[in-house]
Amino acid sequence: MSQQDARQHARGGGMAWALVITSVAGFMAALDNLVVTTALPSIREDLGGALHDLEWTVSAYTLTFAVLLMFGAALGDRFGRRRLFLVGLTVFTGASAAAAMAPGIDSLIAARAVQGIGAAIMMPLTLTLLTAAVPAERRGMAYGIWGAVNGLAVASGPLVGGSLTEHVSWQWIFWLNVPLGLALLPLARLRLAESHGTGAPLDIPGTLLASGGLFGIVYGLVRGPVDGWTGAVVLTALFVGAALLAGFVLHGTRARNPMLPMRLFRSRAFAGVNAASLLMFLGMFGSIFLLSQYMQGVLGHSPTEAGLRMLPWTGMPMLVAPIAGLLSDRVGGRPVVAAGLFLQAAGLAHLAYVVTADAAQLPGLIISGIGMALYFAPASALVMSSVTAKEQGIASGANNALREVGGALGIAVMSSIFAAQGGYESAQFFVDGLRPAVAVGAGVVALAGVAALLIPARRTTPAGPPGAGGTTASGTSTTTEYATTG
């Protein structure tokens, strides 16, 4: 074997290892977005806790994940991507074990928050590490495999969570991460090459403002139905949270190297697609949170059956996303994204209209799933084409963070509506709260469709690498936009 052949062989092996390691790590982080949903009734029965406690078992993860995502990517750029990837993977794996061993609901929520911190450091670095290991001419294929694996994680999250909960125990939705993490740590240390970014200064003030502001808003929304909307703690949390977020916006306009430069929102395309993303996830996550409990607590399905019945919604992007990508290449991303959002709104509206103690949910779930698929495939390409090439890393990170924020807010908002109108006392009482909550979710997703229509029409086909949009990099889920991060 010649020296050139040997170098190519070594590089090919490094590329394969990088693809395996980053795909499995991405799978773990993406799975934990929705894996808890079908386990919520069992967690509530085992550990106790009210509705707001169940909200935090999901929101504690999505919120810390969202607000620290861009900061985690910046840490990797500055101190070494492989080094910080190992730190994030270690934190995520340890927090997963802590969640599995949690003796009470409060300790479970705390462990979920730490999980989110680990995922926020680990997840955005998976694609930068993969990019460094893969030659430019092969990145489209690598991004496509990575995106498909992460899409599979999101689609199978409710089913995996339900199956483990029913046949083993809910603790195993967290134990599952531990052997995977322990196996990846030495592989990542030995098989991934170290790389660095520009070394730009870390935006610690911006991170603190965004984190504090979002925590205040979500805390106020979660505690509102419990303490009363005029309670001193609730009003203080909402007011302080809003003030901190206003400070974050002001910081983004004046700071030299802000985490999220507000000048990006001067672009109608960037502002429109990000508004659509936030609103879409607000309506979607809040609905899944309540409907997964409805299928078990009201319809009487087992956790596995509930996960299977959610597949027409969560799994549809695996089938429809390639078609959506082809459509967006032909007619542009804006009409495809808008159509998808309006379809998802129609599906949620159908669910809100027909929901009873014995209703069939399949038509609404299928319509929502098709709509979600039409949204996901071209959305990342729209984000990337709305900014210059040097700003694509920031833009992708911002879009992903806003999606996760939308998910956390959606759970808080729609649970507040549910608590105000219904509760867990009986099947009918649950339906009384579920119907207006999902109806609001449908309205919010319809607003997302309106926001998508504000995106300027595409005049020419945007140029870029295969991984920058379309079906390969943006395929199927809340996590696939990482294919353009970094």
Side-chain angles (χ1 to χ4, degrees):
M1 180 183 292
S2 67
Q3 289 185 348
Q4 182 178 1
D5 290 341
R7 286 195 299 269
Q8 291 177 345
H9 179 76
R11 188 172 186 180
M15 180 182 71
W17 276 114
L19 182 59
V20 170
I21 293 167
T22 57
S23 294
V24 174
F27 181 91
M28 292 164 61
L31 186 72
D32 272 58
N33 256 324
L34 290 177
V35 73
V36 178
T37 54
T38 43
L40 290 173
S42 297
I43 292 174
R44 182 169 178 262
E45 182 180 348
D46 193 9
L47 300 183
L51 174 64
H52 63 272
D53 296 312
L54 296 182
E55 293 175 56
W56 279 114
T57 61
V58 181
S59 294
Y61 180 82
T62 57
L63 194 58
T64 53
F65 191 8
V67 300
L68 296 176
L69 180 74
M70 298 178 70
F71 189 67
L75 285 173
D77 287 346
R78 186 172 179 84
F79 298 110
R81 290 162 177 162
R82 183 185 65 181
R83 178 183 300 170
L84 265 293
F85 175 80
L86 291 171
V87 170
L89 181 59
T90 300
V91 171
F92 184 86
T93 303
S96 297
M101 296 185 292
I105 193 70
D106 292 337
S107 55
L108 175 60
I109 292 170
R112 287 284 287 166
V114 178
Q115 261 193 315
I117 294 172
I121 299 171
M122 172 180 72
M123 189 68 170
L125 298 176
T126 57
L127 261 296
T128 52
L129 288 166
L130 183 61
T131 300
V134 178
E137 66 274 11
R138 297 186 181 181
R139 285 175 189 164
M141 176 191 68
Y143 291 158
I145 295 172
W146 186 94
V149 171
N150 283 268
L152 179 63
V154 173
S156 61
L159 178 58
V160 170
S163 298
L164 289 174
T165 298
E166 180 179 354
H167 299 295
V168 190
S169 70
W170 64 263
Q171 286 88 348
W172 275 91
I173 64 178
F174 302 115
W175 280 126
L176 179 66
N177 294 323
V178 176
L180 292 175
L182 292 176
L184 286 183
L185 282 169
L187 287 176
R189 178 66 181 83
L190 296 172
R191 298 293 183 177
L192 294 179
E194 185 61 280
S195 63
H196 294 78
T198 60
L202 298 174
D203 184 15
I204 295 177
T207 301
L208 293 176
L209 287 169
S211 304
L214 289 169
F215 179 81
I217 294 292
V218 173
Y219 183 84
L221 290 172
V222 169
R223 296 301 304 180
V226 182
D227 298 337
W229 292 103
T230 59
V233 173
V234 172
L235 289 177
T236 300
L238 293 173
F239 177 79
V240 172
L244 290 174
L245 287 180
F248 175 72
V249 172
L250 185 63
H251 173 78
T253 62
R254 297 183 176 181
R256 187 173 181 179
N257 293 291
M259 181 171 67
L260 178 57
M262 291 299 146
R263 58 181 167 75
L264 294 178
F265 290 94
R266 296 172 188 167
S267 164
R268 204 175 84 194
F270 184 81
V273 71
N274 279 286
S277 296
L278 187 146
L279 292 170
M280 184 271 194
F281 271 68
L282 196 156
M284 179 192 71
F285 257 67
S287 299
I288 290 177
F289 174 79
L290 293 173
L291 285 168
S292 61
Q293 297 178 70
Y294 161 79
M295 289 184 176
Q296 296 179 64
V298 176
L299 299 185
H301 297 308
S302 69
T304 302
E305 291 171 340
L308 285 170
R309 280 164 173 76
M310 293 295 286
L311 276 180
W313 186 355
T314 60
M316 191 61 69
M318 298 292 291
L319 301 176
V320 180
I323 301 173
L326 292 174
L327 285 174
S328 65
D329 287 341
R330 289 180 176 273
V331 302
R334 183 185 71 160
V336 179
V337 165
L341 291 169
F342 286 126
L343 274 176
Q344 175 138 309
L348 289 176
H350 175 270
L351 289 171
Y353 178 74
V354 303
V355 63
T356 64
D358 59 355
Q361 306 300 308
L362 188 59
L365 293 172
I366 291 176
I367 294 171
S368 293
I370 293 173
M372 187 163 66
L374 291 175
Y375 161 82
F376 277 132
S380 291
L382 285 174
V383 173
M384 294 302 103
S385 63
S386 68
V387 297
T388 62
K390 66 180 180 180
E391 294 173 327
Q392 287 184 345
I394 296 175
S396 180
N399 181 255
N400 182 69
L402 286 171
R403 293 181 183 192
E404 296 291 337
V405 167
L409 289 175
I411 292 170
V413 169
M414 294 175 65
S415 294
S416 297
I417 297 169
F418 169 83
Q421 301 294 323
Y424 291 99
E425 287 81 353
S426 67
Q428 187 57 52
F429 207 42
F430 193 101
V431 169
D432 291 341
L434 178 65
R435 181 177 286 113
V438 177
V440 169
V444 169
V445 176
L447 286 177
V450 174
L453 292 177
L454 299 178
I455 301 170
R458 188 187 72 185
R459 295 181 180 177
T460 58
T461 303
T471 58
T472 57
S474 26
T476 60
S477 77
T478 67
T479 58
T480 55
E481 69 279 11
Y482 287 106
T484 49
T485 300

